[in-house]
Structures are given as C-alpha cells and as structure tokens.
Amino acid sequence: MLTASVCTIGDEILIGQIVDTNSFHIAQELNLLGIKVQYMLSVGDDHGEIIDGLRNCLAKTDIVITTGGLGPTKDDITKDALRQLSFSDGYRNSEEQFSVDRHILSQRGIPLSENNRAQAMVPDNAEVIVNKIGTAPIMAFPFDKVKLQKLGINSNITKMLYSMPGVPFETISALPDVCNHIKAHFDLDEVEHRTVETFGIAESTLSDMIAPWENALPKDLHLAYLPNPTLGVRLRLSYYGMHDPDAKKRIDAEFDKLYGQLGEIIYGEGNDDLQTVIGRMLREKGCTMSVAESCTGGHISGLITSVAGCSDYYKGSVTSYANQVKTNVLEVDPQTIERFGAVSSQCVEQMATGVLKVLDSDYSVATSGIAGPGGGSTEKPVGLCWIGVAHRERKSGAVTVKSKSVRFSSTRAVNIERFSSYALDYLRSMIIHS
Amino acid sequence: MLTASVCTIGDEILIGQIVDTNSFHIAQELNLLGIKVQYMLSVGDDHGEIIDGLRNCLAKTDIVITTGGLGPTKDDITKDALRQLSFSDGYRNSEEQFSVDRHILSQRGIPLSENNRAQAMVPDNAEVIVNKIGTAPIMAFPFDKVKLQKLGINSNITKMLYSMPGVPFETISALPDVCNHIKAHFDLDEVEHRTVETFGIAESTLSDMIAPWENALPKDLHLAYLPNPTLGVRLRLSYYGMHDPDAKKRIDAEFDKLYGQLGEIIYGEGNDDLQTVIGRMLREKGCTMSVAESCTGGHISGLITSVAGCSDYYKGSVTSYANQVKTNVLEVDPQTIERFGAVSSQCVEQMATGVLKVLDSDYSVATSGIAGPGGGSTEKPVGLCWIGVAHRERKSGAVTVKSKSVRFSSTRAVNIERFSSYALDYLRSMIIHS
C-alpha cells in the first residue's frame, strides 16, 4: 500500500489562529484512493523547519503533500525551500498559471502587481498543475532514487512531492487534479468504495446488529465504521486490490443485504446529509416544509438552507424564543404552555401544526428544549429536547402530528447540533411514512 | 523563549475522519503563555510511530503535549509507548483518577469495567493531573538530562511531556491544569496580553490607519494582527519579559489611544463576538431584538442563540425563504417585491419593520440576498445581500429603519457567514446610535 504524508506550512497554524482543515480534506481524498496517510505535520514559515519537515516526510512516505506558505507575502520562504530541497538551479515563469492569474485579477478588477508575477514563478524542475481559482500554482516535484539518495533517503521508487496553496477552498478545488496526477504517476491498486449513512443507532449497537453480515463478508471487502457524534455512523465497504471487473457488483450485492436488514436506519449514501436527503424526498413528492424552533434557535433552518436550491421546497421558519412568539405567531394555546410548559410534547405539537398553517407547508418540524448550560429542572433537565413533526394531507387537509423527546449531556453548541440532527431525522421518518 | 510541540495520536485523524481541533486549542493557550509552538504532528495508533514522533518532538522543543490514544480500547499502545519512552519499569494505579472515574461512571449509571480500571493505570514515573470530566488521566513525564541523553538528545534543561485525553472537550477542560503545571515547572517570562476585536476594515487598511500608533509603540510591546475573514481583525498587544509591575498599565494606556482613534470600529475585547456584544448592549438598555432572514436562512438567529441567556433580550426570528412568508407573516407589501424584487433596500426595510412589529421587539435586523452558487443576475449578482435594521423608540413608538448592501464572492456557506456578520455589525451600530 502506498503511503503519504501531509505537511501544512504557516505560522498561523502554530500560533493557534486557524484550525488546519486542509490536512483533513487531503487525508480523506488519499484514503479514498487507497493510499495510507501515515504522518501529518505543521511547521512555521521558516526555511530550515520547512526543509527539515519535508525531508522527514520524504523519508517516511512515498507521497508528500504540502499546503500553504505560497501567499504573495510569504512565497519566498516556502518556494525557496522547495527549490533547494529539489536541487533546482533557479526559477522559471509558469506561462499557464500566469495567464490564469491575469484572468482572475482582471475579473476581480485588481491590477497585476509584482507579487502576482512572483507567484507564477516556480522552481525550474517543478511540474505545474494549474490552480484554476487562485493565483498560486500547484507544483509537483518528482524525487527519483538519485535525488533521494542525495537527501540521505534510500528508495526503490520515485517519490512525489506536491505543493498546494493553503487557502482551504483552493486546496479543496485543486485536490482532484492532484489525485489524478498521483494516479498517473503511481501504480495504484484498483479501488472501489461505497458508503451508506445511518442515523440514530450507536456504533456498538450497530456493530452487534450487523455482526452476522459483517462476518460473512468476502475476505477482500473491507468494512469501515466512520462514526460522527452528530451525523450518525457511516459504513464504508471498500475493495482494494488487483483489477476485478466484478468488484463494484460484489459490493452492491453486499449492500443490498445490508439495506434489507437496516431499512430506513440508512438515510443516504456518499456525502449525503439529512437536509439533502429531506430536500430530495420533498422535491420528488412536490411537497414543501417549514420549521418552528425554540432551543435550536435557527440552527435547523440554517441546515435546511445550506442546501442550494432549497427554495423549491422550503417555505421558511419561525424561531419562537419568547413564549409570546409561540402564542402570537405560531398560535400555541397559552394554556398549554401554562399547564405543560414550553418544553413539552403538547407545546412542540402545537408549534409544528402552527407553523404548518402559518407558513402554509405540507410538512413541518418543531423543537423546544433546554440547551444549557443554565436552566432546567429535575423533571426537565438541561439537555432535554422535545421534537414535533406534522404533515397535512393535500386532499383531505387532515393533519397528522407526532412528538418525541431526546436527551444529551454535552455543551450548549453540541446539544443544539444533536437536537437539530434528531429533529431532521424525525422529519425524514414522517416524510417516508406519509 | 520556551518552545513546544503538539503531537496528536489517532488513526481517525490520519484517515480524514475528524478534524484535529485539539492542536489549535493547545497552540492558542501556549501562545498566550509566551511559549512558541514550533512543531505539530499527527501519528497513527502505532507503537513505533508514536515513539518516533514523540522522540522527535522532545529533540526539537522544551515542552511536548500529546493528545489522544488513551480511549478504553486503544490505551495499551499509547500508554505503553509512553512507558517505554520514559524508561518506566511498570504501571501503578492512580488512586486519585480512579476515584474520579468511579464517580463519573456512577453518575452516568455505567458499571465499572476492566477497561475503566486499566484507564486509571499509569506508567510508574508519570505524575498524574486528574481529569475531572473524563476517565483517562492526564500524565506529566519529566525528561531530565540523563533520560534525554539516553534518547540521544542533548539538553541543559529538564523537558516535560504531557499526555492528554483526545476527546476535544476533555482536552479543553484540562488545558488550564496543564498550563499551571507548565508555569510551576518552567521559569516563564512574565506575560501580559490584551486583545481588541475590530470589524469591517480590511487588515491592510487597518494597518495603514494605525501605522503612526503602531510605530510609536514601546519596543517591548508587541502587536499582532489576527485576521479572520468572517469575524474581523483582532489586534493583540503583548508584553513578554522580566517582571514589570507597570506592564498592564502601559498596555492599557496604548489601548486608550487606539480606542480614541478607532472608536466603534472596535466592537469588543478578549473572546467577544458580535452576538455577545449585542446581547450585552441590549441587556444594559433593557431592550429586545428580533431577526428576519431570507438568504441567511436562520444563521443570524443561530448566532444570537449561541449565547447562553439570550432569552433575556431575544424574541425570535422569522426565516422568510418564500416571498409568501415575507408578505403574509412579515407584512411586506407584495407590490414592493413586484417592483423592486425581494433582494432590495425596500424589501429588507419592510422585513425589518415587519418583524419588529410582529415579534414586538425594540430592535431588528433583516437580510435578503443571493448566497449562490446559482441564481443572481447582472444587476443583482450572486454574493449580493441587502441588510436592513430597525429601531422602535419606546416612548414615541417612532420607528427608524436603515439599509445597506454588501457583496462577497465566496462559496454559499461563506457568503452566508459574511452576510450574517455584516448584518450583526450593522445592528450593533444601530444600537450604539439610538
């Protein structure tokens, strides 16, 4: 199995100014190619540290991907370290990148500066992969046996070092091109993956449930559990190996069995999230939805509208933080709040039917709970949330409404995230069964 | 200046399953102590890799902080690597941690397992810092000259290695204790910091504006620009050095000058964010607010309710994604939308006054724009957002309303974040001036 390392460059990471998300995205993509990421490091904008760090990476792994240090103000340090490390004599202008840079700058109405010219210069032995959305080029440096030996590294293969820009959306945008370059350069195993997303079942329980299936899997198919505390557990089945024309079919056949067993516990595939899946179901049905939030404070609406094109099915939401908004706008009966409290089955059901009516939608979801850290009582502790879902049938106008409660014991922010995921999943179930 | 490195342990980072946020938080805290983080790395759950990585860290820096690898299923690998690296002969039970563990488990209603017993075992030369909220202990390992020499490292001082749990909220919770241990062990410089947060001015412009002030700063006070594309630029003034009883006063005096120059461009200090500052101002005034969102889809409401205790001043919001909700719930004149479109000064002003009235609040903010990636026109391109703010005077009932537009050209998610920040800042300005 090929190995890789990721080296992020930049003082902003080391002083705790930004979270390094580039390593995460790169690791994910390499993993999908069947490449084992063995090592990640971050070094500052310092010539010696960069050379030392990258040399270590080359010693440890076959592929090295580095990001950052190429901004118009810092490029000298990183680029010069790359030039020295790769035994390059000097720089050349990358015509291809420069023409993209001119185009980008003119679109933004920014005059071309000396710094921009410098950004398109690359060590003369670097192969350029054009950065289509930014001004810093992606550079590929082959390190053959001879070069590696000069660095004190013994290797039977030519290793590759890729230098990528550090701006996260440029890194993400350029990753497919770098992966294609890797595929062309290395003799990778054939890889087939398929991932399903499950919700609402803990990893250990899920593992018990599917143990017979898992134990009966063909030896060359590998199952990975990828749990996320908010989004559920993803199950990925992978084939790595020699060319097998049936690999995909064999994975599909196993997943057919899994679907048979797990049913609607599986909510999606690939990179699906609950809001995308809900949107797809609503669009297929030609139905609309709305949201009434209390403790989740707008988070559910934010998730729904994170999906581009959601205006096809999303009417909107009411965040009724004050009880007065619950009664005046969502038409919750004030006596309900008086008798049962705002955090109650009765209240969320009225919120759900209220928003359904006021915003004129086919489906709705409502939340009311105690996100913490303060508030709560013995009976209604911090971390408790009631969720209501409602559906109005078009023909008869009949409204169905249901509610349930969930409870978590995390921070305010995480409680809100989990309440929101459980609310979306409850809505998903309502849509499936109506 | 003391140096530190951070080593996160865990396959889940290397396969791109989770983003490593621990390194970020640790780097931030060490930076505030005046310790330079020079090196960060992530290694998998592998004995050899862990030993190799930690040895490198000890060679490079005075302090090493490692997180992760201590869960009930993995502890053998990491703990045994730590035992071997620190030349320990065996394990001992940490009574202190074990008694905390028993308490935590009984609170959660979980019976004590063999794994929990194992978690409280530590290499016999480790000093234990009790983990108050989790079952894995924090361990401090001193490496004196002799031990370091056995590892092939020359040093004049005793270095320290800290092993912390990997669960992010446990890491964050234990950081102050680890910092105190560092302060007790090392002779740190005196450190004084003060940070102000600015909004709406680009780093380069801000830098030009305050250049005379910056150039006149005393040589021993260091200014750092900490820009965040969504939240604005933070300016941090720091003193590191010998004990100076006047350091704090001198920093305060410089900040008095800065406030004089920047005025309300500064919105807060320390870890303030716009929603916290707005909450503080409203609480002081005894006023309330509400939100009407279109393109931001609930994000502004989510930010406001991320602040615990916001029910003191927050009434709620209406996300009027469909125009029908703008007209029916927020009382926007349908002719306004017909004549000027939903993305217009006229529409957001009516949304702001509408939500003010419907949710009965003193202040409100409204947004309508095109977050992308699709939609938009030459006249109203993707990335354009109109923002309206309104205020109703209590005594006279007179309503003031204003609007402005902003434009960005990023991804949907980032556009929404920026629209939201600019909307909050516009509301802040309205509150200041009314």
Side-chain angles (χ1 to χ4, degrees):
Chain A
M1 202 175 197
L2 276 172
T3 58
S5 46
V6 181
C7 177
T8 52
I9 299 171
D11 291 336
E12 62 276 22
I13 296 172
L14 296 178
I15 63 171
Q17 190 188 325
I18 60 163
V19 173
D20 166 27
T21 53
N22 283 343
S23 299
F24 164 78
H25 290 291
I26 293 168
Q28 243 175 8
E29 290 305 312
L30 293 178
N31 202 252
L32 288 174
L33 287 184
I35 295 166
K36 182 182 158 87
V37 177
Q38 197 164 311
Y39 193 64
M40 286 178 178
L41 82 167
S42 299
V43 298
D45 296 302
D46 175 281
H47 186 89
E49 293 286 337
I50 296 170
I51 292 211
D52 192 43
L54 294 179
R55 211 208 64 86
N56 264 346
C57 288
L58 280 170
K60 275 180 178 289
T61 62
D62 306 318
I63 297 163
V64 181
I65 299 190
T66 174
T67 74
L70 299 175
T73 53
K74 294 174 179 172
D75 52 355
D76 294 336
I77 302 173
T78 301
K79 223 180 259 175
D80 199 57
L82 289 167
R83 185 200 55 72
Q84 186 184 324
L85 189 76
S86 64
F87 306 99
S88 160
D89 295 324
Y91 292 95
R92 67 178 173 85
N93 180 36
S94 161
E95 282 301 333
E96 253 178 304
Q97 185 66 50
F98 193 51
S99 97
V100 170
D101 291 0
R102 272 190 309 240
H103 180 70
I104 289 175
L105 292 170
S106 86
Q107 265 200 327
R108 294 184 192 162
I110 299 172
L112 197 78
S113 71
E114 271 312 302
N115 278 335
N116 299 127
R117 266 184 202 286
Q119 275 199 302
M121 298 296 287
V122 299
D124 56 12
N125 57 1
E127 190 180 325
V128 168
I129 300 171
V130 172
N131 179 352
K132 298 174 197 123
I133 62 165
T135 49
I138 296 114
M139 294 172 276
F141 296 90
F143 282 82
D144 59 19
K145 293 177 208 180
V146 180
K147 267 193 196 170
L148 288 169
Q149 209 141 37
K150 282 206 245 174
L151 294 170
I153 300 166
N154 286 321
S155 170
N156 290 322
I157 64 163
T158 295
K159 299 187 173 192
M160 288 296 299
L161 184 152
Y162 297 91
S163 161
M164 300 182 71
V167 181
F169 73 88
E170 291 185 28
T171 312
I172 292 171
S173 144
L175 261 175
D177 293 333
V178 170
C179 287
N180 283 333
H181 199 276
I182 290 172
K183 282 190 218 164
H185 183 82
F186 292 98
D187 188 23
L188 291 176
D189 278 349
E190 178 162 312
V191 181
E192 280 290 344
H193 297 287
R194 193 173 155 192
T195 309
V196 294
E197 330 261 349
T198 73
F199 192 86
I201 310 283
E203 183 183 2
S204 54
T205 312
L206 191 67
S207 162
D208 288 345
M209 283 174 71
I210 64 174
W213 173 79
E214 187 177 350
N215 294 333
L217 283 173
K219 285 278 165 287
D220 61 348
L221 297 186
H222 303 280
L223 180 70
Y225 285 79
L226 306 165
N228 177 305
T230 305
L231 304 177
V233 180
R234 291 194 295 162
L235 296 171
R236 191 170 72 201
L237 203 52
S238 307
Y239 171 82
Y240 303 100
M242 310 276 288
H243 176 66
D244 173 358
D246 291 331
K248 193 179 168 306
K249 263 190 225 159
R250 293 198 295 125
I251 289 176
D252 290 346
E254 295 301 333
F255 269 1
D256 284 348
K257 295 180 208 161
L258 193 67
Y259 268 96
Q261 196 189 338
L262 293 181
E264 67 185 75
I265 291 171
I266 298 174
Y267 70 85
E269 297 216 3
N271 288 316
D272 279 346
D273 47 36
L274 287 164
Q275 56 269 27
T276 307
V277 170
I278 287 170
R280 210 150 55 206
M281 290 194 296
L282 290 173
R283 199 177 267 124
E284 271 168 24
K285 282 179 181 261
C287 285
T288 60
M289 69 166 285
S290 60
V291 177
E293 305 190 58
S294 189
C295 61
T296 49
H299 194 71
I300 296 176
S301 184
L303 290 171
I304 297 288
T305 58
S306 70
V307 180
C310 65
S311 55
D312 290 352
Y313 52 82
Y314 189 51
K315 288 291 183 88
S317 75
V318 174
T319 306
S320 54
Y321 225 65
N323 284 342
Q324 172 201 11
V325 179
K326 292 185 183 76
T327 55
N328 291 356
V329 182
L330 292 177
E331 304 180 359
V332 173
D333 182 352
Q335 293 200 330
T336 301
I337 297 180
E338 213 169 288
R339 276 186 62 191
F340 304 104
V343 181
S344 65
S345 162
Q346 291 83 356
C347 182
V348 290
E349 293 198 0
Q350 288 185 24
M351 287 169 69
T353 50
V355 80
L356 198 73
K357 187 181 146 199
V358 176
L359 267 58
D360 187 25
S361 60
D362 302 305
Y363 291 91
S364 68
V365 58
T367 57
S368 184
I370 302 136
S377 61
T378 320
E379 206 194 333
K380 292 180 180 175
V382 168
L384 173 73
C385 180
W386 275 95
I387 305 170
V389 286
H391 168 53
R392 184 173 52 186
E393 221 190 282
R394 287 256 173 109
K395 273 190 195 156
S396 67
V399 173
T400 317
V401 61
K402 293 195 302 178
S403 57
K404 72 170 182 180
S405 67
V406 293
R407 193 182 161 197
F408 305 105
S409 53
S410 191
T411 59
R412 180 179 180 83
V414 174
N415 284 339
I416 290 174
E417 280 179 16
R418 293 192 187 168
F419 295 162
S420 302
S421 291
Y422 275 82
L424 288 177
D425 190 58
Y426 200 37
L427 174 63
R428 178 179 75 94
S429 164
M430 173 67 115
I431 298 171
I432 291 172
H433 295 285
S434 62
Chain B
M1 203 172 196
L2 278 170
T3 57
S5 46
V6 181
C7 177
T8 52
I9 299 171
D11 291 338
E12 61 276 24
I13 296 172
L14 296 178
I15 65 171
Q17 189 189 325
I18 58 163
V19 173
D20 166 25
T21 53
N22 284 342
S23 299
F24 164 77
H25 290 292
I26 294 169
Q28 245 176 5
E29 291 304 313
L30 294 178
N31 201 251
L32 288 175
L33 288 184
I35 296 165
K36 184 183 157 88
V37 177
Q38 198 166 311
Y39 193 63
M40 286 177 178
L41 82 166
S42 300
V43 299
D45 296 303
D46 176 280
H47 186 89
E49 291 287 336
I50 295 170
I51 292 211
D52 192 43
L54 293 180
R55 212 208 62 86
N56 264 344
C57 287
L58 280 170
K60 275 182 178 289
T61 61
D62 307 317
I63 297 164
V64 181
I65 298 189
T66 173
T67 74
L70 300 175
T73 53
K74 292 174 181 173
D75 52 355
D76 294 337
I77 301 172
T78 301
K79 224 181 258 175
D80 199 57
L82 289 167
R83 187 199 55 72
Q84 185 182 325
L85 190 75
S86 65
F87 305 101
S88 160
D89 295 326
Y91 292 95
R92 67 177 173 88
N93 181 38
S94 162
E95 284 301 333
E96 252 177 306
Q97 185 66 50
F98 192 50
S99 99
V100 170
D101 291 1
R102 273 191 308 240
H103 180 70
I104 290 175
L105 292 168
S106 87
Q107 265 199 328
R108 293 184 193 163
I110 300 171
L112 196 77
S113 71
E114 270 313 300
N115 278 335
N116 298 127
R117 269 186 199 283
Q119 275 199 302
M121 298 295 287
V122 299
D124 56 12
N125 57 0
E127 189 181 326
V128 168
I129 300 171
V130 173
N131 179 352
K132 298 173 195 123
I133 62 164
T135 49
I138 297 114
M139 293 171 277
F141 296 89
F143 283 83
D144 60 19
K145 293 177 206 179
V146 179
K147 267 190 196 171
L148 289 170
Q149 208 141 37
K150 283 206 245 175
L151 294 171
I153 300 166
N154 286 320
S155 170
N156 291 321
I157 64 162
T158 296
K159 299 187 172 190
M160 289 296 299
L161 184 154
Y162 297 92
S163 161
M164 299 181 72
V167 181
F169 74 88
E170 291 185 29
T171 312
I172 291 171
S173 146
L175 260 176
D177 293 333
V178 169
C179 287
N180 284 333
H181 198 279
I182 290 172
K183 281 189 217 165
H185 183 82
F186 292 97
D187 188 23
L188 290 177
D189 279 350
E190 178 162 312
V191 182
E192 280 291 343
H193 296 288
R194 192 170 154 191
T195 310
V196 294
E197 329 262 351
T198 72
F199 192 85
I201 311 283
E203 184 185 0
S204 54
T205 312
L206 192 67
S207 161
D208 288 345
M209 282 173 72
I210 63 173
W213 173 80
E214 187 177 350
N215 294 334
L217 283 173
K219 285 276 165 289
D220 60 348
L221 297 186
H222 302 280
L223 180 71
Y225 285 80
L226 306 165
N228 177 304
T230 305
L231 303 177
V233 180
R234 290 193 296 160
L235 296 172
R236 190 169 74 203
L237 203 53
S238 306
Y239 170 82
Y240 303 101
M242 311 276 288
H243 177 63
D244 173 357
D246 291 330
K248 193 178 168 308
K249 264 190 226 161
R250 294 198 293 125
I251 289 177
D252 290 348
E254 295 302 333
F255 269 3
D256 284 348
K257 295 180 208 161
L258 193 68
Y259 268 95
Q261 196 189 339
L262 294 181
E264 66 184 76
I265 292 170
I266 298 175
Y267 70 85
E269 297 217 2
N271 287 316
D272 280 344
D273 47 36
L274 288 163
Q275 55 270 28
T276 306
V277 170
I278 287 170
R280 213 151 52 207
M281 291 195 296
L282 290 173
R283 200 177 267 123
E284 272 168 23
K285 281 180 181 260
C287 285
T288 61
M289 68 165 287
S290 60
V291 177
E293 306 189 57
S294 189
C295 60
T296 50
H299 193 72
I300 296 176
S301 184
L303 290 172
I304 296 287
T305 59
S306 69
V307 180
C310 65
S311 55
D312 290 352
Y313 51 83
Y314 188 51
K315 288 292 184 86
S317 76
V318 173
T319 306
S320 54
Y321 226 66
N323 284 342
Q324 173 200 11
V325 179
K326 292 185 184 75
T327 55
N328 291 356
V329 182
L330 293 176
E331 305 181 358
V332 172
D333 182 353
Q335 293 200 330
T336 300
I337 297 180
E338 214 168 287
R339 275 186 64 192
F340 304 103
V343 181
S344 65
S345 161
Q346 293 81 356
C347 182
V348 289
E349 294 199 358
Q350 289 185 23
M351 287 168 70
T353 51
V355 81
L356 198 73
K357 185 180 146 200
V358 175
L359 268 56
D360 187 25
S361 61
D362 302 305
Y363 291 92
S364 69
V365 58
T367 57
S368 185
I370 303 136
S377 61
T378 321
E379 203 193 335
K380 293 180 180 174
V382 167
L384 174 72
C385 180
W386 275 95
I387 305 170
V389 285
H391 168 53
R392 184 173 53 184
E393 222 189 281
R394 287 255 173 109
K395 274 189 196 157
S396 66
V399 172
T400 318
V401 60
K402 294 194 302 180
S403 58
K404 72 170 184 181
S405 68
V406 293
R407 193 181 161 197
F408 305 105
S409 53
S410 191
T411 59
R412 179 178 181 84
V414 174
N415 283 339
I416 288 174
E417 281 180 16
R418 294 193 185 168
F419 295 162
S420 302
S421 291
Y422 274 81
L424 287 178
D425 191 58
Y426 199 39
L427 173 62
R428 179 180 74 94
S429 165
M430 173 66 115
I431 298 172
I432 292 173
H433 296 285
S434 63

